[in-house]
Structures are given as structure tokens and as C-alpha cells.
Amino acid sequence: EMVHTSRANNVFMAIMGDESILDFYYIAPSDIHFVKLGRRDNVNLEPVIRISAPSPLVLEFLDKCGEVVAKLPKAEAIIKKEEEHK
């Protein structure tokens, strides 16, 4: 069995009717740091992989992720804090 591993720390998801795409990117933490400090104007997005999938499958995956996140310690406090900043 062949396995390939790539690192990604950012994902763009789009749902277009019955089809969805998930574009995974890697952003170097140093890029984010330097943008926050004002030393750079933008970050470099390194494309990693694009996944096309049926929208019902992606929505089911996101629902399952929500169930896992809800079980994490302090998840409720983190979610509440994020909602307050919107």
C-alpha cells in the first residue's frame, strides 16, 4: 500500500449545487507572524491538493467534525469566544 503525506494548515471550501471542492494550502507560520507585525503585506499560499466531492458527502463530513469538536474539552468556551468576535 502506498501512502503520501503532505502538510496543509488552511482549507478553502466551496459548495456548488451537488458538487464541492476543498482546496488545501500551507501557510508558513512565519508569514502570518510577519504580516501581523507589519513587515509583510501578504502571506504566501502554497497549494497542496484539491479534492472534488459530492456536496452531501462534504456536509456529512462537516457534521461529523462538529460532533467531535463539541466533545473536546473547553470547546464550548472557544466557540462562544469566536462568536463574540464576529
Side-chain angles (χ1 to χ4, degrees):
E1 182 177 323
M2 194 163 126
V3 176
H4 177 81
T5 303
S6 296
R7 63 182 180 176
N9 57 7
N10 201 325
V11 63
F12 168 80
M13 293 186 281
I15 294 178
M16 302 159 287
D18 292 339
E19 292 296 318
S20 298
I21 59 166
L22 293 89
D23 288 338
F24 289 84
Y25 298 92
Y26 176 74
I27 303 173
S30 59
D31 279 2
I32 296 169
H33 176 72
F34 288 129
V35 167
K36 282 186 171 185
L37 291 178
R39 294 185 188 171
R40 289 194 186 152
D41 293 330
N42 55 33
V43 296
N44 296 316
L45 290 174
E46 180 184 326
V48 178
I49 191 169
R50 171 174 279 175
I51 297 173
S52 297
S55 294
L57 180 64
V58 172
L59 293 173
E60 181 181 353
F61 169 73
L62 294 174
D63 285 341
K64 296 291 183 188
C65 289
E67 293 171 13
V68 171
V69 169
K71 294 177 184 175
L72 295 174
K74 300 184 183 179
E76 188 175 310
I78 293 168
I79 292 168
K80 183 178 178 182
K81 185 177 179 181
E82 288 295 320
E83 289 175 354
E84 290 172 357
H85 290 288
K86 289 182 180 180

